[in-house]
Amino acid sequence: TAGSAAALRVRVAFDDRIGLRTFLALYWPQGCLFLLVLAATAFLARRAIRAISDPIRQVTEQSRKIAEGAYAAVELNTDFAEFAHLGVSMNRMVSVIAERTEKLQASEESYRNQFLKNVTPMLLVTRDIGEILEANAAAAHYYGRARHQLKTMRLEQLDAPETPASRVLRASVSPPASQGLRSEGKQRRAHGEICDVELSVSAIRFQELDLLHLIIVDVTERNAATAAANRHAAAAQQANEAKSEFLANMSHEIRTPLNGVLGMLDLLLSGRLGSSERRYAEIAQRSGSTLLGLINDILDLSKIEANKLTLESVGFDLMELMDQVGAILGARAVGKNLEVICAILPDTPRLLRGDPTRLRQVLLNLGGNAVKFAATGEVVIRAELQKKDGAGVEFRFSIRDTGPGIPEQKQHLLFQKFSQVDSSTTRQHGGTGLGLAISRQLVELMGGQIGLHSTPGVGTEFWFSLTLEQQPNDPAGTDLTPLAGLRALVVDDNETNRQLLTSWLGSWQMRPNAVGSAADAFVAIRQARAEGDPYAVALLDLSMPGMDGMQLAARIRNDTPDTATKLVLVSSVENMRDQAALTQAGFSDGLPKPVSPKELRKVLLQTLVIAAPPVRPDPAPARTQHRVLLVEDGEINQLVARGMLDAMGYTTDIAGNGAEALRVLAERDYDLVLMDVQMPVMDGREATRQIRQPGSAVRNRAIPVIAMTSYAMTEELDRCLEAGMNAHLTKPITRDGLHAMLQRFAPAATTTAPA
């Protein structure tokens, strides 16, 4: 208050323009008092500030030391109780932090030691200059030194001279090292031996240091095992090639005499033989065909194992393929009380692309087993459409029999090579156990699946699925005929046959009806005539219980001698009668089992629509103008091929080797050459090369040359084509195969101008 009053007086004095001397004289005591109060206040303020700021500065300094890891006790020089309590609290905190930090460091050290001890690969931590900073127990053991000794060494001291690891380190300094660097080299172990190692280097940055993690794995044993495996693989490959070559040679050696056996039997059966002689010749021919099938199975197995089996992709007719399978299996079932049925529905796609040869082989393998093991009942081969996806068509093929069935514990053996359900010496059925194994491998090569369902005492069904390509303009479902509207009766005690025949007749817009016995058929025919709508045709099964087809036909003719209903006999090949016997029994025609839809339609058209042509005896083969040169060194093979050619009406000349063939072709024109591959003096491939060579002395360098070889391996056939041959026939040569080849090349040969 005094100061304020004095200030007011000073202001008033100056405002009144009082002079300085007057001012000092008037206010000097008050000013001195004011200055004295001001100085005392400043002194007391400074003492108070130092009493507060010094402890705070001490706390700040101690906090900095704690942050740097110096956990010393805090000493605060202060008279304030609050700062004293703060110092005590900080000392407690420092003590806890120091204790926990010590435990953490001990734990980290223990963990690092355990980690470095238990890590299996050798682990080194180095500077980029090669100085070893850390090593684990595995590295110490490998190099025969203690860990602390390794920490005093440089990486170059551990390297073998062949591949120093320092090169890897220098390479790791580049930017890709941060992503990891891997290489293989050699290093020296504790006892001095040089071992193969795998080096993995990665760059890290730790506490402002550029470090490298170097992981070393001893791969000596692994490399040795790999080398041994490669040697074994090479040896296995060599053995596999030797086996394939051996099988090819054995195939040639076996096929050559087998060609003579089957060829001579074929010629023998084409002549006039007594019943006993014909039976003996047929048995010998079937035995030879069985032996040929066994050779083909072994050869196919070898091709599959060597990855040398190639699949075709050609067009084929599924209905014709099923007809062929049914005809072959039907012939095998002769003499058994067994129905063989090939079932393919009318709307099933027929024209497909795939490998018909392998598909036929699988069907025959599975169907042949069914015929072999089923004593009575039926074997049904069925092709069913599963789904269509664009041009792809998925089929399910099944082969069902009424045989003894297969126990569940034995089913896993079926698709294994050389395995059979019954392998005892008292088994009733023979076989090698290769058919099912080959079938499985063929189906899988064609991209399908295979399996089975079997119930002991009931039967077995094998199935496999395949996806095939449908050809354009497939006639499936469009086979309408002039048979539309005609009434037909199917008489068969087998339900599957009745369903199949009825489906085909219905697809041709006929009006089918089916009965299961001769008595029911007689009643149905009588009733239809009484209604004024008689059956146009009746398909009568020959073998039926109670009354067979022949007896039923006689009863029908005796009851109504008119021919309003045409009769067609359906029977197995064994019981088929000739045309004269069929006519005498009252039948218009006959159909062999298993019934083919193509043959069924043909017989119905000839019986109901077109007058059947008179039966004439087969004329003798007409002589053609075609001349064939047969180049073959084996006398038996010469007789077989020449006999077949003579039976087909061809004029044949024979040359004993390739050199002789060249001389003959230079002197005379021929339409076709059948060239054996393996011959003395000059083989068939070399002879063909010289025929095709420009400037050759032969009269026609473009003459078709057909290879005849006992080697059925793909490589051999490819070599024949590379030599200039047009096609090949595999021995044993069959009449059908030779005829097809002659029809393909011989007619064109007469119009081919010499090159």
Side-chain angles (χ1 to χ4, degrees), residues 325 328-329 332 359-369:
V325 171
I328 295 173
L329 296 180
R332 295 182 186 178
L359 176 57
R360 185 186 301 109
Q361 182 178 356
V362 175
L363 289 172
L364 288 176
N365 276 343
L366 300 178
N369 280 344

Side-chain angles (χ1 to χ4, degrees), residues 252-272:
H252 174 268
E253 296 300 327
I254 296 175
R255 286 172 185 270
T256 299
L258 194 58
N259 178 55
V261 172
L262 294 179
M264 286 299 180
L265 288 172
D266 189 38
L267 294 176
L268 185 63
L269 290 171
S270 64
R272 294 183 177 180

Side-chain angles (χ1 to χ4, degrees), residues 440-583:
R440 177 182 63 83
Q441 291 175 315
L442 288 177
V443 168
E444 291 176 353
L445 282 175
M446 291 187 285
Q449 295 179 335
I450 189 170
L452 79 152
H453 307 288
S454 183
T455 303
V458 178
T460 303
E461 180 186 32
F462 284 90
W463 61 268
F464 63 95
S465 59
L466 285 180
T467 299
L468 303 169
E469 181 183 351
Q470 185 175 8
Q471 299 184 51
N473 303 321
D474 194 323
T478 61
D479 195 7
L480 303 181
T481 70
L483 300 173
L486 298 180
R487 199 173 184 189
L489 178 65
V490 177
V491 186
D492 199 314
D493 61 314
N494 185 281
E495 182 180 0
T496 306
N497 265 333
R498 294 198 303 269
Q499 293 176 352
L500 182 63
L501 294 175
T502 301
S503 66
W504 280 108
L505 296 173
S507 69
W508 299 327
Q509 296 188 356
M510 299 182 71
R511 295 182 293 154
N513 184 28
V515 295
S517 66
D520 292 340
F522 185 74
V523 173
I525 291 176
R526 266 192 165 187
Q527 183 177 354
R529 287 176 177 172
E531 294 173 353
D533 187 15
Y535 290 101
V537 65
L539 304 175
L540 309 183
D541 183 28
L542 176 62
S543 301
M544 291 185 293
M547 182 186 301
D548 62 23
M550 299 294 290
Q551 295 170 339
L552 175 60
R555 184 175 179 183
I556 292 173
R557 293 307 177 211
N558 291 334
D559 183 67
T560 53
D562 62 273
T563 58
T565 301
K566 304 294 183 181
L567 302 180
V568 176
L569 181 66
V570 182
S571 67
S572 64
V573 177
E574 183 183 33
N575 295 320
M576 281 297 295
R577 307 296 180 89
D578 57 23
Q579 186 64 41
L582 288 174
T583 303

Side-chain angles (χ1 to χ4, degrees), residues 621-623 639-652 738:
R623 304 304 299 178
L639 293 174
V640 171
R642 187 167 197 167
M644 292 182 178
L645 290 168
D646 288 344
M648 297 176 192
Y650 288 84
T651 302
T652 309
L738 179 59

